[in-house]
Amino acid sequence: LGQVAAGFGFSSVIIKQGQLVSFIGPTGGGKSVLLQLLGGAKLPTRNAEGGELTSVFNVPSHLRVLHVPAEPLFFKGTLLQNLTYGVMPGDEDGDIGRIKKILEKLCVKQHVIDMIVQEKSLDWGVVLSPTTRNLLSLARALVANPELICVHKPTELLDQQNAMQVLRTLRSFVRMRGVEQDPATFGNRRPRTCIFSSSKKYGVYISDKVFNVSHTGVEEVNKTEVAASMEN
């Protein structure tokens, strides 16, 4: 099935395909850097002497990986063009009906959903609220339907109810090997994996594995014990 392997400082971690994984830990502890490295948005660096790499990552080359940053990027064009960026023309992943259902699952406001059929070419990074931008950035990743998604704090700006719904959608992405996919093709699809950073209790509970990321390294922790000490 494949796996994602990482060596980070003095620690190593192996994540099997088909899991929902959350990173927790102190601010500045390295969660964002680890997600950037796994998502291909940052390259491993060498030590101060220019010798061995301080971090080593192995993501199988046959896996499509998408990095969903904390600060989403949008280009001037229609909203549909932004949401289907990277999807081949005519591919069923870019079906408007499917996109609408994904947006609904992520609790995107209806007036925003209605905009995907409009030909307005706007600067979406300016006209949309920070919360909506984050949701649309995550939706774009789900529309593209990769095998691995690395997401920075997907619930950071959401209330508890909407945060839980977003995390349930990520859980479904892993369990069903994609969101809003044909059930008849389930056996033909590769396993899906989602790795995200979280500061919310529900994000820990819903995960298959939880890793604490800090300056001392990466360590798998008991999610039940950790969640008991977290706020909602």
Side-chain angles (χ1 to χ4, degrees):
L1 296 178
Q3 60 188 23
V4 177
F8 192 65
F10 296 103
S11 305
S12 62
V13 57
I14 295 178
I15 300 171
K16 292 183 179 180
Q17 271 292 88
Q19 293 185 325
L20 182 64
V21 177
S22 59
F23 289 162
I24 63 171
T27 301
K31 298 186 296 297
S32 292
V33 172
L34 187 52
L35 282 171
Q36 289 172 345
L37 288 163
L38 288 170
K42 188 179 182 71
L43 295 176
T45 56
R46 298 188 179 277
N47 59 27
E49 291 74 32
E52 295 182 357
L53 292 172
T54 57
S55 51
V56 180
F57 297 85
N58 177 36
V59 178
S61 59
H62 66 277
L63 298 182
R64 293 176 300 142
V65 182
L66 276 184
H67 172 256
V68 183
E71 297 183 5
L73 298 176
F74 292 88
F75 57 86
K76 189 169 183 179
T78 68
L79 190 55
L80 182 61
Q81 288 171 336
N82 274 271
L83 290 173
T84 57
Y85 182 78
V87 177
M88 294 294 292
D91 193 309
E92 60 185 16
D93 282 339
D95 177 74
I96 291 182
R98 175 175 180 264
I99 296 172
K100 286 183 176 181
K101 290 179 180 178
I102 290 175
L103 295 176
E104 290 168 357
K105 286 180 179 292
L106 294 176
C107 306
V108 175
K109 301 293 186 182
Q110 187 59 50
H111 76 275
V112 177
I113 296 176
D114 292 340
M115 290 181 182
I116 68 172
V117 296
Q118 300 175 5
E119 293 297 321
K120 293 180 179 179
S121 180
L122 302 174
D123 188 347
W124 301 102
V126 174
V127 301
L128 297 173
S129 70
T131 300
T132 300
R133 291 200 301 268
N134 282 355
L135 290 174
L136 292 180
S137 181
L138 179 56
R140 177 166 50 196
L142 296 175
V143 167
N145 195 26
E147 283 79 28
L148 171 60
I149 295 179
C150 298
V151 192
H152 294 257
K153 298 182 178 179
T155 62
E156 185 73 8
L157 302 178
L158 304 176
D159 59 33
Q160 184 176 359
Q161 181 178 353
N162 286 339
M164 290 173 65
Q165 177 58 31
V166 166
L167 292 170
R168 282 194 291 264
T169 301
L170 295 180
R171 171 84 270 174
S172 178
F173 166 77
V174 172
R175 185 179 67 252
M176 301 306 297
R177 299 183 178 181
V179 179
E180 292 299 323
Q181 294 288 300
D182 184 357
T185 64
F186 176 85
N188 298 327
R189 299 196 295 271
R190 290 183 176 134
R192 301 297 194 262
T193 300
C194 179
I195 307 172
F196 67 101
S197 55
S198 177
S199 59
K200 295 180 183 288
K201 180 185 295 186
Y202 189 74
V204 170
Y205 272 130
I206 201 172
S207 302
D208 295 310
K209 285 192 174 184
V210 179
F211 292 92
N212 184 71
V213 182
S214 67
H215 293 297
T216 60
V218 184
E219 178 186 13
E220 185 174 358
V221 295
N222 184 302
K223 67 179 183 180
T224 302
E225 293 178 0
V226 170
S229 63
M230 296 177 69
E231 297 181 359
N232 292 329

